[in-house]
Amino acid sequence: MSENQAPAAGEVSGFLQADGQRLVNGNGREVLLRGVGFGSWLLPEGYMWSFPDRGDRPRRIERMISELVGEKKAAEFWALYYDRYIGEDDIRRIAEEGFNSVRVPINARFLILMDGDKPIWREDRLALLDRVIGWCREYRLYVILDLHGAPGGQTGTNIDDSEFDRPDLFLEERNAELTVELWALLAARYKDEWIVAGYDLLNEPLPDWFAQYNDRIMPLYKRIVRAIREVDERHMIILEGAHWATDWSIFDEKIDDNVMLQFHKYWNNPDTESIRTYLEYRDRWNAPIFMGEGGENNKLWYAGAFRLFEDHGISWNFWTWKKLERDNSPCEVKRPEGWDRLVGYLEGGEKPSAEEAEKTLWTYLDSLPLDRCVYHRDVVDALLRRPPVRIPAIFYGYGGEGVGYGVAEKRSGALGFRSGDGTDIRFVVSGERTAPNFQHGRGEDWQPDEWLCVQLMPGDWLAYDFLAVSVRGAGSLQVDHGALTDSQGTPTDGSSAGYSLKLRMCAVGEEGMRGRVEVEAEGAAVGWMEAGTEWETVGLTGTILVSPGDRRLVLKAAGDRPVRVMWLEINGLPDR
């Protein structure tokens, strides 16, 4: 049996466009984008190379490599790097996993050589964009073109390859002109390419310490849109807010009929309160919204945050697909022998010999293709809530009361997390913590004192959606996020998937008392589990049998005792 899955047939088809608050494809079918970003490919980011600040952006990495191996070898290195970092195997795997889109960050310097004040467009580099777009067309993945590093830099930080740590895009008119010219070039080149989903005009413009220039963002957006619309009437425009795309106060008018608004989300509460502003703008603008970057956390956070987006009908893109020696992205590039010498040199240490540096760097290049990476399927499982997956109990459904949960008596939220729900969320271990900690940028596990649980009174319930998959024919696993069952949840096409369930739970009360949780799958009772007053991991007797697609489990406190639930774990059963 293949471990992978493919997008639903017909989902990626024709030009994508905004239709009120929805995205629809060329056939008028609603589409929710689920994708990954290609961080560090066309704009290398130092943290994805495990480099310190002196190697935190493309121009600094380029300088280091030239110093170590010379200009000729450095040019060879970069040609191989851009060729290998994202290959056809990456695109095929992303599609097989069930994603339907990719976001391609671009550094303007990657595409432009300056001859004095005149830009020279690098056709060899544009050909790399053509190639990945062609692969995405073949494997049915929409492509978002993202200007991650605009001429001069739109953030004044490492992430846009800033030369002087200032947002010179907004300070020098020639940089704004080049940005408009670049987008006009790309729009003219791809105006008939339906697999291109849209144009992400600027990544994360102006952090708050440059907020005095915020009033320059929308005028520049308007200039870019006018230039695009002179050559391309069909592609969607994607606008990001200021301050890491989180400040949408700059959006003062809807500047195009085919527009989507983008925010980013890292290291904070995965709850509805945290995205309330974006939901309000969606209603106000009557436009779709997009979580265009989120990730760099652990798999527990992924299982909550990306379900939050799903439940609110928000398209999303995970950051990032591939990076060095980290297990919280799907693809982990192995750290080459001798890498510490490069890091040490950047930190002011001894310079490696040219031969030593070349050996290390070329070993790195050999490690970039997908088949040389360590593949972390569990990251994808967490993003899609595809078994096997562990879901913290606090990440019950985000559809609101009566849909994602039900409680007889509401409680005030004292922890500042999901405070509007009225559920009883508390720390598993009583201690000094008064608020949750969701900052685990390297993928670290939650510490015992960071775990939270939900306390349920008899009759209270929590719902958890997950993605069931099963084999259909001899090829890849197929996923359709729509219904494949009749009104009783019985598969209508003869396919089904069997799952087991475990809970980490305990009863509340005196020693010797037992608490019970009843389990429903797709509205049908499938069994129950009991535990005493000490935390236990208990398993459901029997099998949860459902058809492929988005499916739902409901945990309901039964009997006469309150219970606490820390997590649930859904596992697939062996083939029968």
Side-chain angles (χ1 to χ4, degrees):
M1 182 180 89
S2 168
E3 292 185 347
N4 301 324
Q5 62 198 49
E11 185 177 48
V12 180
S13 178
F15 282 90
L16 200 65
Q17 63 180 349
D19 179 24
Q21 298 182 14
R22 310 182 307 155
L23 290 178
V24 297
N25 66 15
N27 301 320
R29 175 178 174 177
E30 185 173 0
V31 174
L32 197 73
L33 294 177
R34 302 174 176 95
V36 295
F38 290 153
S40 207
W41 177 32
L42 306 183
L43 193 157
E45 295 198 38
Y47 86 90
M48 298 188 203
W49 299 49
S50 295
F51 280 170
D53 286 350
R54 291 183 181 179
D56 68 348
R57 65 198 70 185
R59 62 181 69 247
R60 292 179 180 178
I61 300 173
E62 291 165 7
R63 182 168 59 241
M64 178 203 75
I65 293 174
S66 294
E67 290 172 354
L68 291 177
V69 300
E71 296 293 339
K72 182 179 179 181
K73 279 290 183 182
E76 292 177 17
F77 173 89
W78 288 111
L80 289 168
Y81 175 87
Y82 293 131
D83 181 65
R84 293 180 183 178
Y85 199 91
I86 296 297
E88 184 176 2
D89 286 347
D90 293 279
I91 302 303
R92 181 188 300 111
R93 176 62 64 88
I94 291 165
E96 287 175 346
E97 290 286 23
F99 296 107
N100 62 14
S101 55
V102 298
R103 180 169 176 256
V104 180
I106 301 167
N107 189 0
R109 269 201 321 117
F110 171 79
L111 295 178
I112 303 173
L113 286 175
M114 296 301 295
D115 181 9
D117 199 42
K118 179 182 177 182
I120 300 173
W121 309 107
R122 297 199 56 168
E123 189 62 34
D124 59 328
R125 299 287 177 78
L126 287 164
L128 283 174
L129 279 181
D130 294 345
R131 185 177 73 170
V132 76
I133 288 170
W135 287 333
C136 287
R137 188 189 320 109
E138 179 179 354
Y139 293 102
R140 291 297 191 264
L141 294 171
Y142 280 118
V143 181
I144 294 169
L145 298 180
D146 154 36
L147 187 51
H148 217 75
Q154 72 279 5
T155 70
T157 68
N158 63 300
I159 65 169
D160 67 10
D161 196 26
S162 176
E163 185 173 8
F164 303 112
D165 286 330
R166 63 183 184 231
D168 281 343
L169 170 64
F170 297 101
L171 302 179
E172 298 179 9
E173 172 60 19
R174 184 57 183 141
N175 288 323
E177 292 172 351
L178 283 171
T179 300
V180 174
E181 291 176 39
L182 175 56
W183 272 119
L185 170 83
L186 293 173
R189 190 179 189 93
Y190 299 120
K191 62 185 174 63
D192 298 320
E193 187 59 81
W194 66 267
I195 201 67
V196 173
Y199 305 138
D200 185 352
L201 301 188
L202 291 174
N203 178 71
E204 299 183 342
L206 295 178
D208 58 3
W209 54 91
F210 289 125
Q212 67 267 34
Y213 307 120
N214 278 4
D215 61 357
R216 303 181 185 185
I217 299 175
M218 287 299 288
L220 181 55
Y221 278 162
K222 292 175 185 178
R223 290 174 62 183
I224 297 170
V225 171
R226 282 196 298 269
I228 289 172
R229 289 297 180 237
E230 287 180 3
V231 295
D232 181 352
E233 291 286 344
R234 291 187 287 188
H235 278 103
M236 183 167 57
I237 302 297
I238 305 171
L239 305 179
E240 300 191 27
H243 190 57
W244 318 128
T246 63
D247 178 3
W248 283 14
S249 65
I250 64 167
F251 295 144
D252 53 6
E253 63 174 302
K254 191 172 182 179
I255 62 175
D256 195 84
D257 291 333
N258 191 15
V259 68
M260 180 166 68
L261 303 181
Q262 180 178 168
F263 69 95
H264 295 173
K265 187 171 177 64
Y266 292 101
W267 312 307
N268 56 30
N269 289 2
D271 60 6
T272 300
E273 287 81 358
S274 70
I275 62 169
R276 183 77 66 193
T277 295
Y278 314 128
L279 297 174
E280 291 171 353
Y281 268 87
R282 177 168 66 181
D283 292 339
R284 189 183 314 166
W285 277 45
N286 192 32
I289 63 176
F290 178 43
M291 198 298 296
E293 267 189 41
E296 302 298 4
N297 214 302
N298 62 30
K299 293 178 282 290
L300 299 171
W301 190 85
Y302 298 162
F306 288 85
R307 192 67 230 179
L308 168 71
F309 311 137
E310 293 273 341
D311 283 359
H312 285 289
I314 300 172
S315 292
W316 55 263
N317 190 276
F318 173 75
W319 187 266
T320 185
W321 173 246
K322 182 184 291 185
K323 60 178 181 281
L324 186 76
E325 63 170 355
R326 289 287 178 267
D327 65 0
N328 63 342
S329 283
C331 299
E332 177 185 353
V333 179
K334 297 176 184 175
R335 186 184 182 99
E337 184 178 350
W339 202 256
D340 289 345
R341 295 271 288 151
L342 305 187
V343 173
Y345 176 63
L346 285 168
E347 292 175 334
E350 181 183 358
K351 181 179 182 180
S353 69
E355 293 77 13
E356 181 184 0
E358 181 179 341
K359 180 180 179 182
T360 299
L361 288 168
W362 261 253
T363 300
Y364 172 71
L365 290 174
D366 290 341
S367 302
L368 292 177
L370 178 68
D371 63 356
R372 303 289 183 86
C373 293
V374 180
Y375 192 69
H376 297 290
R377 189 177 187 270
D378 54 348
V379 172
V380 179
D381 291 338
L383 294 173
L384 300 177
R385 280 206 183 171
R386 180 183 62 191
V389 62
R390 177 174 291 184
I391 306 169
I394 58 173
F395 299 147
Y396 54 86
Y398 292 95
E401 188 173 11
V403 178
Y405 66 94
V407 292
E409 182 178 344
K410 289 194 172 186
R411 295 176 58 93
S412 59
L415 299 181
F417 172 67
R418 308 200 71 166
S419 54
D421 289 356
T423 52
D424 189 354
I425 296 175
R426 55 182 69 199
F427 282 101
V428 170
V429 178
S430 298
E432 297 180 359
R433 290 193 178 275
T434 58
N437 175 29
F438 294 118
Q439 300 186 37
H440 301 85
R442 292 175 173 262
E444 311 95 313
D445 288 335
W446 290 348
Q447 296 301 305
D449 69 339
E450 293 176 324
W451 272 94
L452 296 156
C453 65
V454 185
Q455 179 165 307
L456 300 174
M457 300 301 291
D460 292 351
W461 57 271
L462 306 170
Y464 300 90
D465 292 316
F466 70 100
L467 180 60
V469 297
S470 72
V471 174
R472 290 159 57 87
S476 298
L477 295 179
Q478 304 295 314
V479 166
D480 188 335
H481 291 267
L484 289 174
T485 61
D486 61 21
S487 59
Q488 283 75 47
T490 304
T492 58
D493 61 355
S495 62
S496 62
Y499 296 97
S500 64
L501 176 67
K502 293 180 181 178
L503 295 185
R504 184 70 172 171
M505 61 174 289
C506 70
V508 178
E510 298 177 0
E511 185 177 355
M513 292 183 173
R514 308 284 290 176
R516 174 178 290 199
V517 169
E518 294 177 346
V519 182
E520 295 181 0
E522 292 297 294
V526 293
W528 50 268
M529 288 174 273
E530 280 190 351
T533 54
E534 297 293 326
W535 284 102
E536 300 179 42
T537 300
V538 294
L540 180 70
T541 301
T543 300
I544 298 171
L545 190 65
V546 294
S547 68
D550 283 326
R551 299 294 165 246
R552 169 165 290 204
L553 295 178
V554 172
L555 308 181
K556 184 176 182 179
D560 59 358
R561 304 302 315 164
V563 295
R564 293 176 182 169
V565 183
M566 188 189 308
W567 51 253
L568 62 154
E569 186 174 282
I570 310 169
N571 288 287
L573 298 177
D575 291 344
R576 292 165 295 175

